[in-house]
Amino acid sequence: MTKLTRLGLAALACAATFVSHASTAEDTLLAALKQAYPGTAFDTVTATPIPHVFEVWMGENVGFVADTRPDYMIFGRLVDLRAMRDLTAPKLQQRSNAASPAAATAAATDVRQLPLADAIVTTQGKGERVLYLFTDPHCPYCRQLESELVNIPNLRIYNFMVPFQDQALPMRIWCAADRLAAWRSAVSGALDGQGAPAQCAHPLDRNLALASKLGVQGTPTLFFTDGTQETGFINAAAIEAHLAQAASSRQASKNPKE
């Protein structure tokens, strides 16, 4: 461990001992993080509903830090499981809209127009709930997301592969006799660097064009039936919250108030 790292951790450890006594715990923690990691652009620290856990913003990125151990940071979403509500998503959207005002006025995606024949379909249980997914099998966050998706019941997933890195692996998956099995092998890493290039009729170029049309710039990108969009890894609880919100929106549209 370098001397600089030891000094940084020492500063954080000191902050942890007095942060609860400071007049503004958020400001104290923010100052300690900036001092320990000057190369990271920390901009705000806010309290969460969890005691001693703070939301730390770095531009459009967010992490969570315990003031008792601020030398560790958790990246992801904070979800109220009782209310099935993603507490982080609205803030992410707000920051994204601030960075790109045009995106804030864009209409929700009409998922009914998506070319489902160009997707790999997964059905879990009855498949009554639907998720539309843009992925790249090389993408580490797509691989991480797969382990969350398999735990969500009663779900049908339309997976549009976009070859942002190269076409070889997506092509091998699409041309396989069992595309779903090939996809799962790929995201587990079992197909990395294996096999000769596959050849068959495929939708990969169309998927790239579709991703561009929808403004999909990274993977994974998830679309829900109410047209809302999430980009990046989110856990199963956050996905469940979005699915519940989409179902509520659909029910409200069927039963408008008089």
Side-chain angles (χ1 to χ4, degrees):
M1 182 181 293
T2 67
K3 182 177 181 181
L4 180 60
T5 302
R6 288 196 299 270
L7 288 173
L9 292 177
L12 285 172
C14 290
T17 63
F18 68 77
V19 69
S20 61
H21 303 291
S23 58
T24 306
E26 291 90 339
D27 290 343
T28 302
L29 181 56
L30 178 59
L33 289 168
K34 287 182 175 180
Q35 180 181 351
Y37 304 105
T40 301
F42 300 103
D43 49 73
T44 60
V45 171
T46 57
T48 72
I50 306 172
H52 299 289
V53 175
F54 292 80
E55 187 179 83
V56 180
W57 286 92
M58 299 148 283
E60 294 184 45
N61 298 311
V62 62
F64 297 91
V65 168
D67 62 2
T68 54
R69 288 302 304 269
D71 47 324
Y72 289 89
M73 181 175 289
I74 300 171
F75 290 92
R77 306 294 186 90
L78 188 61
V79 176
D80 182 340
L81 295 178
R82 288 179 297 181
M84 290 308 295
R85 186 163 60 94
D86 186 336
L87 302 178
T88 309
K91 297 180 180 181
L92 284 167
Q93 187 63 53
Q94 183 180 26
R95 289 190 172 235
S96 177
N97 291 345
S100 178
T105 59
T109 300
D110 184 357
V111 294
R112 296 171 300 177
Q113 303 302 316
L114 294 177
L116 303 183
D118 289 347
I120 298 172
V121 184
T122 306
T123 303
Q124 297 170 182
K126 293 182 179 180
E128 294 172 320
R129 303 183 296 174
V130 181
L131 174 64
Y132 307 89
L133 185 63
F134 284 77
T135 64
D136 184 332
H138 291 286
C139 163
Y141 296 110
C142 297
R143 296 184 177 196
Q144 186 180 0
L145 179 64
E146 184 68 19
S147 63
E148 299 291 317
L149 292 173
V150 296
N151 296 317
I152 300 177
N154 191 23
L155 183 66
R156 186 164 69 257
I157 303 166
Y158 292 97
N159 180 359
F160 296 86
M161 288 189 298
V162 285
F164 281 151
Q165 298 191 40
D166 67 59
Q167 285 201 355
L169 184 56
M171 187 89 75
R172 192 172 299 126
I173 295 167
W174 187 263
C175 296
D178 187 335
R179 291 170 182 159
L180 178 56
W183 164 259
R184 288 179 170 163
S185 292
V187 295
S188 72
L191 295 185
D192 289 351
Q194 294 186 15
Q199 292 294 328
C200 68
H202 63 83
L204 300 179
D205 293 330
R206 293 194 298 274
N207 287 353
L208 274 174
L210 178 63
S212 177
K213 178 181 177 182
L214 297 177
V216 173
Q217 299 179 345
T219 56
T221 294
L222 304 82
F223 289 93
F224 298 86
T225 54
D226 60 354
T228 57
Q229 174 182 342
E230 284 285 351
T231 299
F233 171 81
I234 60 175
N235 62 26
I239 295 170
E240 284 281 9
H242 276 288
L243 291 169
Q245 179 59 44
S248 176
S249 298
R250 185 169 61 252
Q251 188 61 36
S253 67
K254 290 181 180 178
N255 301 297
K257 293 181 180 180
E258 298 295 337

